[in-house]
Amino acid sequence: MAPLGEAEGLKELDPRALNGTNVLELFVFAHAATGRAVVTARLDNLGKGASGAAVQNMNLLLGLPEDAGLELERAA
C-alpha cells in the first residue's frame, strides 16, 4: 500500500508490461486521514474469454500448469 499522492505515478506505467503473461498486478493507494483508497489493476486479458478462464481455473484445480492448453503461437 502506498500513500494516495503516489497514485499519480500510475500515469507512467507501461500498459504493455504484462502482455503475454498470466500475471495480475494490484496497486492500492490510501489516504489515512480521509479513509479514501484507489485500487488499480494491470493485466493482459487478451484472449481471456470465459472459456479461457474456465480452462485456467480447471488447470489450477487439477494441479496442472496454469497456462496448459492456453499457449498461443506467437507470430515471429
Side-chain angles (χ1 to χ4, degrees), residues 21-55:
T21 72
N22 283 319
V23 175
L24 167 71
E25 290 181 340
L26 290 176
F27 301 91
V28 179
F29 300 92
H31 189 273
T34 63
R36 183 175 167 212
V38 174
V39 179
T40 302
R42 177 169 59 175
L43 74 152
D44 176 17
N45 68 345
L46 189 61
K48 296 269 185 171
S51 60
V55 170

Side-chain angles (χ1 to χ4, degrees), residues 6-73:
E6 291 183 24
E8 288 295 316
L10 289 175
K11 293 178 183 175
E12 299 171 14
L13 290 177
D14 180 4
R16 298 165 293 178
L18 300 179
N19 284 3
T21 72
N22 283 319
V23 175
L24 167 71
E25 290 181 340
L26 290 176
F27 301 91
V28 179
F29 300 92
H31 189 273
T34 63
R36 183 175 167 212
V38 174
V39 179
T40 302
R42 177 169 59 175
L43 74 152
D44 176 17
N45 68 345
L46 189 61
K48 296 269 185 171
S51 60
V55 170
Q56 186 175 3
N57 287 325
M58 178 187 70
N59 288 341
L60 290 170
L61 289 171
L62 295 174
L64 299 170
E66 188 173 335
D67 61 354
L70 296 173
E71 296 90 1
L72 299 174
E73 289 186 34

